[in-house]
């Protein structure tokens, strides 16, 4: 019964993750473009946006609505296995790390979940972000879609090209997921104590949504600076002149020199 319950939780978490990835893909495209647009002080001809709404309007006006969904193929193929690995890692780790009753245990379980999901997430992220910036800047190679991007990156950069920025990906998302689950479980406990549950510690839908949103906002804000560096490294081969660095330290130096520390909160 416990195994069935775990399998059900993994399936439900995976389905929710896939749905969220597809629905929020346009915002992911906007975030990626905002995070890279200022590289080098904006002197490389990349289209610059004033904010989220301006980016959405300009992309739809100049490239069409389909541009907001570039890279969706990679997400559609990679979301299920990555989310499955992620939730399997989290639920399994949580049972050995306090059963959801320990803040430190939940944080550690989130990190373990991230490491499991990264086996698929990192290649998916690289392909997705290379495609997302195609209409924004001059790119060394233009791909027809996710599968072609996968083939070309593998052909010209090897397997390591698909795992570009893997270390900083972990530095970004491991703390994000650790923080997310620590905050989520704390909010969940507060909601249960306040009576927003069905008598079996299952949260009401609005309470569950509120816990998720709160955890996401806190985790995103804290990890955004590292996420900016990660994104720039993952798209660097698209325009080496605009992104003339090979590692996260070089990316940080370049950003601080040309844009200032405020750029770490772009996107």
């Amino acid at each position: 019964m416990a195994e069935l319950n775990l399998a059900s939780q993994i399936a439900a978490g995976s389905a929710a993750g896939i749905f969220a990835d597809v629905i929020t893909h346009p915002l992911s495209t906007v975030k990626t473009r905002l995070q890279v647009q200022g590289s080098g002080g904006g002197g490389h001809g990349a289209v610059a946006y004033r904010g989220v709404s301006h980016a959405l309007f300009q992309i739809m006006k100049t490239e069409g609505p389909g541009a907001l969904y570039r890279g969706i193929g990679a997400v559609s193929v990679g979301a299920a296995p990555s989310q499955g690995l992620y939730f399997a890692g989290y639920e399994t780790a949580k049972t050995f790390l306090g059963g959801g009753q320990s803040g430190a245990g939940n944080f550690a379980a989130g990190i373990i979940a991230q490491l499991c999901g990264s086996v698929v997430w990192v290649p998916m992220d690289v392909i997705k972000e290379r495609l997302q910036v195609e209409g924004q800047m001059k790119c060394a190679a233009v791909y027809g879609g996710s599968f072609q991007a996968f083939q070309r990156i593998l052909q010209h950069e090897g397997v390591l090209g698909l795992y570009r920025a893997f270390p900083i990906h972990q530095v970004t998302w491991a703390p994000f997921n650790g923080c997310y689950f620590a905050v989520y479980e704390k909010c969940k406990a507060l909601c249960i104590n306040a009576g927003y549950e069905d008598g079996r510690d299952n949260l009401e839908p609005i309470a569950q949504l509120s816990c998720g949103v709160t955890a996401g906002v806190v985790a995103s804000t804290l990890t955004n600076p590292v996420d900016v560096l990660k994104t720039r490294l993952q798209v660097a081969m698209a325009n080496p002149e605009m992104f003339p660095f090979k590692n996260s330290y070089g990316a940080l130096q370049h950003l601080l020199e040309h844009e200032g520390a405020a750029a770490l909160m772009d996107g």
Side-chain angles (χ1 to χ4, degrees):
M1 189 68 169
E3 290 181 0
L4 179 60
N5 186 48
L6 176 58
S8 299
Q9 290 181 41
I10 292 170
S14 298
I18 294 166
F19 181 76
D21 284 344
V22 173
I23 293 299
T24 61
H25 193 82
L27 290 177
S28 171
T29 298
V30 169
K31 185 190 81 164
T32 296
R33 292 194 177 197
L34 288 172
Q35 288 183 329
V36 304
Q37 67 182 14
S39 184
H44 295 282
V47 179
Y49 310 104
R50 294 192 296 271
V52 175
S53 59
H54 181 246
L56 284 168
F57 177 78
Q58 286 298 114
I59 292 170
M60 287 192 289
K61 179 182 177 181
T62 60
E63 302 173 55
L68 292 169
Y69 284 91
R70 287 198 182 111
I72 193 66
V75 173
S76 299
V77 172
S82 61
Q83 293 288 350
L85 288 169
Y86 176 80
F87 281 100
Y90 177 68
E91 293 297 337
T92 302
K94 190 172 73 169
T95 61
F96 294 100
L97 296 169
Q101 304 303 311
S102 165
N106 294 331
F107 189 92
I111 291 176
I112 292 170
Q114 166 60 28
L115 291 171
C116 293
S118 288
V119 175
V120 179
W121 255 328
V122 175
M124 182 184 81
D125 222 27
V126 170
I127 293 169
K128 178 192 74 172
E129 289 176 354
R130 296 273 189 99
L131 288 164
Q132 285 175 327
V133 301
E134 278 189 355
Q136 181 186 21
M137 65 184 68
K138 181 180 179 181
C139 295
V142 177
Y143 311 113
S146 296
F147 184 66
Q148 185 180 10
F150 172 78
Q151 287 182 309
R152 294 280 295 277
I153 293 171
L154 197 60
Q155 179 183 358
H156 295 287
E157 302 172 44
V159 175
L160 290 180
L162 293 169
Y163 284 91
R164 183 167 300 281
F166 183 86
I168 197 171
H169 197 282
Q170 306 314 310
V171 173
T172 303
W173 288 105
F176 175 94
N177 287 298
C179 181
Y180 177 92
F181 281 115
V183 174
Y184 178 83
E185 295 291 350
K186 181 63 176 178
C187 290
K188 179 180 176 181
L190 290 173
C191 287
I192 290 173
N193 291 336
Y196 296 105
E197 45 88 25
D198 61 2
R200 292 174 296 193
D201 287 353
N202 295 313
L203 292 180
E204 296 176 358
I206 296 300
Q208 189 165 8
L209 177 62
S210 299
C211 290
V213 170
T214 301
V217 169
V218 173
S220 295
T221 302
L222 292 175
T223 59
N224 196 77
V226 191
D227 189 40
V228 170
L229 301 179
K230 173 196 71 71
T231 301
R232 294 188 179 195
L233 279 171
Q234 290 188 160
V235 304
M237 294 301 290
N239 189 327
E241 183 180 344
M242 186 173 173
F243 307 101
F245 36 76
K246 300 294 184 182
N247 53 53
S248 55
Y249 181 68
L252 177 60
Q253 283 187 309
H254 188 263
L255 180 147
L256 293 175
E257 178 183 351
H258 294 282
E259 303 162 73
L264 289 167
M265 295 307 294
D266 284 351

